Amino acid sequence: MPEGDTVFQAARRLDEALAGRVVTRSDFRVPSIATVDLAGETVHSVGSRGKHLLMRIGDQVVHSHLKMEGEWHVHRPGERWRRPGFQARVVIEVPDAAAVGFDLGVLEIFPATEEHDRMAYLGPDLLGDDWNPAEAVRRLAAHPEAPVAVALGEQRNLAGLGNVYVNELCFLRGIRPTRPVGDVELVPLVDLASRVIRANRDRFSRTTTGDMRRGRQLWVYSRGGEPCRRCGTPIEHGRLGRNDLELRDTWWCPNCQR
């Protein structure tokens, strides 16, 4: 599941492969930008902002969002792609590497001068150099009636948490996902969110339990009906969202999260 740590890692891999190099070929396989040619432009950097990946090339920014199925791969010249070519949405080549974006949920290009304004709606970035926990708490507190799981996943409050982290954080703090934000101690919750996602930032596989063994890495996410790892009570499952169009699967232990 692509979340802030996944995008951070993808941006770091792309930056290592592309930054400082001149684009030799670009191929955008999206009708709205299919005619754009970035050949001859220098890749200045690749970074992330929450779940957004920003590739800064020349005076343009190639902005992508992985959504559910998206991935960025880096290949060496002549190396066979690990996914089918028809799933590729963009190819950026430099002399010794090719970056290929597959099944990207969002792919667009805009002037570099617009980056700040376009990303300004996002809350503090949990993995950003400018992470501001006090601002994240303030934004969450502005929605006292919202279920805490919904508020945590809202990127305008804090950027980078997806459904995996939202469910796991609620468990770790002993909070029922439906509990109103106004009834939650927000400072320790936000602090834990920062510590957990930063602990996973450099890991190949994400864990919130501290156990890296397959099938033991998460407390409640996607474990409906299975016994709680702490108390043995069957994990329950439901759906939460701001409205019927934004419902997300939610899991919790009815005993540990009271």
Side-chain angles (χ1 to χ4, degrees):
M1 179 75 66
E3 306 211 9
D5 53 352
T6 304
V7 180
F8 178 91
Q9 292 175 9
R12 183 167 56 188
R13 289 193 302 271
L14 290 167
D15 189 71
E16 291 172 352
L18 304 178
R21 296 169 174 83
V22 175
V23 175
T24 56
R25 185 176 78 94
S26 67
D27 180 9
F28 293 93
R29 302 178 182 184
V30 176
S32 61
I33 53 175
T35 60
V36 174
D37 183 6
L38 296 179
E41 301 288 352
T42 299
V43 181
H44 302 300
S45 67
V46 183
S48 63
R49 182 75 182 173
K51 298 181 183 182
H52 300 261
L53 192 143
L54 303 159
M55 188 180 294
R56 303 163 183 114
I57 303 176
D59 59 1
Q60 303 289 314
V61 174
V62 179
H63 167 229
S64 60
H65 194 296
L66 303 183
K67 296 293 185 180
M68 294 292 291
E69 306 294 337
E71 290 183 305
W72 275 97
H73 293 178
V74 175
H75 297 277
R76 296 306 169 193
E79 183 181 9
R80 184 175 180 179
W81 290 359
R82 298 188 295 277
R83 289 183 60 168
F86 71 85
Q87 295 179 353
R89 298 293 176 264
V90 57
V91 182
I92 303 291
E93 293 183 359
V94 296
D96 55 353
V100 186
F102 295 95
D103 279 346
L104 302 174
V106 173
L107 180 62
E108 62 177 356
I109 300 174
F110 53 76
T113 54
E114 297 180 7
E115 179 182 333
H116 178 270
D117 289 343
R118 286 177 177 258
M119 297 292 112
Y121 76 96
L122 294 170
D125 183 358
L126 283 151
L127 294 177
D129 294 335
D130 58 348
W131 164 239
N132 186 337
E135 176 62 13
V137 168
R138 186 192 70 79
R139 293 192 180 209
L140 286 167
H143 308 280
E145 303 301 323
V148 65
V150 174
L152 282 174
E154 172 54 63
Q155 300 302 295
R156 289 176 174 81
N157 294 331
L158 62 169
L161 296 182
N163 212 27
V164 177
Y165 278 120
V166 166
N167 281 271
E168 295 294 291
L169 287 167
C170 286
F171 176 84
L172 288 168
R173 287 292 301 162
I175 302 167
R176 191 69 60 92
T178 53
R179 190 173 183 181
V181 168
D183 294 339
V184 174
E185 292 184 75
L186 294 177
V187 171
L189 177 61
V190 167
D191 176 67
L192 181 63
S194 174
R195 288 190 287 116
V196 170
I197 196 170
R198 287 176 180 267
N200 282 292
R201 182 180 60 185
D202 301 321
R203 288 176 173 150
F204 176 75
S205 183
R206 181 187 301 133
T207 179
T208 57
T209 63
D211 192 335
M212 295 300 296
R213 291 175 294 177
R214 188 172 183 177
R216 301 285 301 175
Q217 295 158 298
L218 301 174
W219 291 103
V220 294
Y221 179 81
S222 198
R223 297 190 64 240
E226 298 181 34
C228 174
R229 301 192 194 282
R230 280 183 178 167
C231 71
T233 303
I235 300 299
E236 295 189 0
H237 169 259
R239 305 189 77 196
L240 278 176
R242 291 189 300 178
N243 53 58
D244 290 344
L245 298 178
E246 298 182 8
L247 294 176
R248 295 191 175 189
D249 291 307
T250 307
W251 294 268
W252 68 94
C253 171
N255 181 55
C256 295
Q257 293 170 259
R258 296 187 177 183

